[in-house]
Amino acid sequence: MAGAATGLVILLAVAAIANWFEAGRLDPAVIQASDERLNALAQTASGLAAGKIEPQACQNLVQTAKAITDFDRSRFDKDNQAGFDLAQGCRAALAESDNRIRALVASASAEDVETPNGTARLVKASASLTDFDKDRDLTEEARKAIAAASAGSASFEASDKRIDAFSAAFAAWQQRQDDGKAAELALAAVGALRPLDTQRAPADVQSKIKQSSLLQGLIDQSDARISKAVLAVSALQSKDTPDNRTAAQDAAFAVTNFDSSRATASQQKILDDGRKLPSQLRWQDFAATVADFRKSPDAAATLKLAEAFRDLTASDRIAFNDQLRTARPDAEKALQTVADSDLRLSALASAFSAVQTAEMKKKQLLNPYLSLISAADALGPFDNGRLSDVLAAALKKSGLIKKALAESDNRISAAIEWAETASKLKDRAVPRKIMKNVQITRNALTDLDKERLSSAQKAILDDVCGVPVEPEPGMLPAIDGYDCYQPGDFAPKPLPAIAQ
């Protein structure tokens, strides 16, 4: 090993001596030119070694190093070698920079550069540029590519903010779905999204964007409920009618927590009034009818009080419980009066309907007639003041039936009287005149009369048939006596129509 080292030293020494002798034989102009190149290399390299490597200085060093010959390199000292090595590093740095700049320009000129993916590649290519690259003397094409990448990066940053804002607003609404304000914010956030955002959004955000299509419908429905309630309450405040009360309260109570959270202060006040005002008005009506009833408990006051009491809702009675305590006895009395009257009027209506059915069939009239009379007779002055047209007709019909029954009583009485007279004389020939009256009065009986006959009366009328009758002068008596209906066979006679 020691011998090899010694040999290497000897060779280097020989080479140095040879170079010295060779230099001594060179043209001084060659030496001067080499010195100038070496000095230039040293000077150019000294600026780079002292601080930040500027692209132009690096470019200059590479150009200076290109002029170095093998002869120059044989004359390198330590500083020359360092400068030459630095030039080699600059050459590599410039080559890498060229690659990055070419990739940027290629991304900027790609067909899909306007798409999110193309813009993303351009932004990525621009982001890979170093300060060294940007400080170079770039071409116009490269500068435009950097500007486009900067704009794309800004648009992506803005897009990310919109996507993040939407995601946060949508999550807040999902957590508070009865919060109309949260829904409005989510709807505004999705409305702020641009096509770029929807194309770039992750799959889970894409799904949320689709779900948010429901938001506009929710807002529209909420607006409709609020508007309807405001209009209905305003109408009630303008004119108090039963219909307006019902409409205002129904519309106000249809407003949800979702709607209330969105309503303006003025709208909310109207909605609150809409929930309270109808109840207050019903109580005022009720209190007024109680006062009227106490002054004059006639039929009209009774009906008004009962109606006003029925109109009070459960919430009304809770809200005005203390005031209601003293008024309740009068109200319940009125209610009972009306309820009893309703039963009597209902009975009258049912009886009248049964009479109409029986008269259409023209049979079994008696019981319906008697039921109608009973129902009509049960009515009192309070009931008479509540008659509808139909019930008034029923009451009139009852009077006509009473008259018809009185006439029926007369016919039945006459028939029975003549039949009994003839029956008393049946042991001898009955005068023809008497039997003629029996025949006339018996034939005068209507279906209603026959339906009203008792079993005893029917027996009397049947028994009189076949009683011997005095013959007319010069004639023999009939074998079977006077011509008569068979016993128990009452020839049907139509019931005379009773006026309606």
Side-chain angles (χ1 to χ4, degrees):
M1 288 294 291
T6 301
L8 179 59
V9 171
I10 292 171
L11 287 173
L12 291 174
V14 171
I17 293 170
N19 287 336
W20 181 81
F21 278 108
E22 182 67 24
R25 292 196 297 270
L26 290 176
D27 186 349
V30 173
I31 298 298
Q32 183 180 356
S34 176
D35 288 340
E36 289 175 355
R37 289 191 295 272
L38 293 176
N39 289 334
L41 177 65
Q43 289 176 0
T44 306
S46 65
L48 289 172
K52 179 180 178 182
I53 300 179
E54 298 292 341
Q56 189 58 50
C58 210
Q59 185 75 38
N60 293 338
L61 180 59
V62 170
Q63 290 299 115
T64 301
K66 283 183 179 180
I68 298 297
T69 66
D70 290 339
F71 176 71
D72 299 333
R73 292 187 66 181
S74 69
R75 301 178 68 226
F76 275 178
D77 59 15
K78 181 180 179 181
D79 291 336
N80 293 145
Q81 186 62 50
F84 190 79
D85 291 343
L86 188 57
Q88 294 298 97
C90 277
R91 185 179 290 108
L94 288 170
E96 292 173 357
S97 177
D98 288 340
N99 289 336
R100 290 190 292 271
I101 293 172
R102 277 194 295 271
L104 172 67
V105 172
S107 296
S109 59
E111 292 183 357
D112 65 345
V113 69
E114 298 295 334
T115 67
N117 288 338
T119 302
R121 283 197 300 273
L122 177 59
V123 170
K124 183 177 180 180
S126 178
S128 70
L129 295 183
T130 65
D131 291 339
F132 181 90
D133 303 333
K134 296 174 184 177
D135 289 342
R136 294 183 67 185
D137 186 13
L138 299 173
T139 64
E140 180 67 19
E141 188 178 27
R143 287 195 296 271
K144 287 183 178 179
I146 291 175
S150 179
S153 178
S155 70
F156 276 11
E157 183 178 352
S159 174
D160 288 340
K161 289 180 179 179
R162 289 190 295 270
I163 292 172
D164 291 344
F166 164 73
S167 297
F170 189 82
W173 172 66
Q174 283 188 314
Q175 293 172 1
R176 306 189 306 276
Q177 294 200 8
D178 61 344
D179 187 342
K181 287 294 184 184
E184 288 180 344
L185 292 175
L187 183 62
V190 75
L193 294 178
R194 299 178 182 178
L196 174 65
D197 309 333
T198 56
Q199 293 170 359
R200 294 183 62 243
D204 63 321
V205 177
Q206 295 278 5
S207 175
K208 293 175 182 177
I209 292 173
K210 291 180 181 179
Q211 293 177 48
S212 67
S213 62
L214 301 173
L215 286 170
Q216 188 61 60
L218 293 176
I219 296 296
D220 290 343
Q221 293 169 12
S222 175
D223 286 340
R225 287 191 295 270
I226 292 173
S227 177
K228 181 178 179 180
V230 168
L231 290 175
V233 174
S234 298
L236 174 59
Q237 291 172 331
S238 175
K239 186 176 182 180
D240 178 19
T241 67
D243 287 345
N244 282 354
R245 288 186 190 184
T246 301
Q249 184 156 310
D250 288 349
F253 277 103
V255 171
T256 64
N257 291 335
F258 182 92
D259 307 330
S260 295
S261 66
R262 299 182 56 245
T264 64
S266 59
Q267 288 175 330
Q268 192 59 55
K269 183 179 184 305
I270 293 175
L271 295 177
D272 291 340
D273 290 343
R275 296 184 182 100
K276 298 175 184 176
L277 187 57
S279 178
Q280 294 171 344
L281 293 174
R282 284 193 296 270
W283 176 257
Q284 291 174 9
D285 289 348
F286 175 72
T289 57
V290 170
D292 292 342
F293 179 80
R294 288 173 177 172
K295 290 178 183 178
S296 177
D298 55 18
T302 301
L303 285 171
K304 287 183 179 179
L305 178 55
E307 183 178 0
F309 188 57
R310 280 196 297 262
D311 286 344
L312 293 180
T313 65
S315 58
D316 296 339
R317 299 184 187 195
I318 293 173
F320 299 100
N321 182 61
D322 293 340
Q323 300 95 315
L324 183 60
R325 190 176 293 110
T326 58
R328 186 182 293 276
D330 292 322
E332 290 180 345
K333 179 180 178 182
L335 276 180
Q336 189 60 52
T337 299
V338 173
D340 293 343
S341 174
D342 287 342
L343 289 176
R344 292 189 291 270
L345 295 178
S346 177
L348 178 65
S350 297
F352 186 42
S353 177
V355 165
Q356 291 174 319
T357 300
E359 287 186 341
M360 288 177 61
K361 296 178 179 179
K362 296 182 179 180
K363 61 181 180 178
Q364 296 181 339
L365 296 168
L366 181 59
N367 287 336
Y369 279 172
L370 294 178
S371 295
L372 180 60
I373 291 172
S374 175
D377 289 345
L379 300 184
F382 181 82
D383 307 321
N384 292 332
R386 303 179 64 208
L387 296 178
S388 64
D389 291 344
V390 172
L391 294 180
L395 191 62
K396 181 180 179 181
K397 180 73 171 179
S398 172
L400 294 174
I401 290 174
K402 284 183 178 180
K403 181 180 179 181
L405 291 179
E407 293 171 352
S408 174
D409 287 341
N410 292 335
R411 289 191 296 272
I412 292 173
S413 178
I416 294 300
E417 182 178 353
W418 283 111
E420 287 178 338
T421 299
S423 181
K424 292 176 182 178
L425 300 174
K426 65 182 178 181
D427 292 338
R428 61 181 185 278
V430 179
R432 182 172 294 276
K433 181 178 180 180
I434 292 176
M435 286 304 297
K436 186 68 175 178
N437 287 334
V438 169
Q439 185 81 8
I440 291 172
T441 56
R442 192 174 186 278
N443 289 347
L445 295 179
T446 66
D447 287 346
L448 174 62
D449 302 337
K450 294 173 184 178
E451 190 177 348
R452 297 181 67 213
L453 292 174
S454 66
S455 297
Q457 288 173 327
K458 289 179 181 178
I460 291 173
L461 292 175
D462 286 340
D463 287 347
V464 75
C465 290
V467 171
V469 182
E470 285 183 348
E472 293 184 4
M475 295 186 64
L476 296 175
I479 296 175
D480 295 327
Y482 186 75
D483 184 25
C484 185
Y485 294 116
Q486 292 299 315
D489 179 20
F490 294 98
K493 291 177 67 66
L495 178 69
I498 299 175
Q500 300 296 320

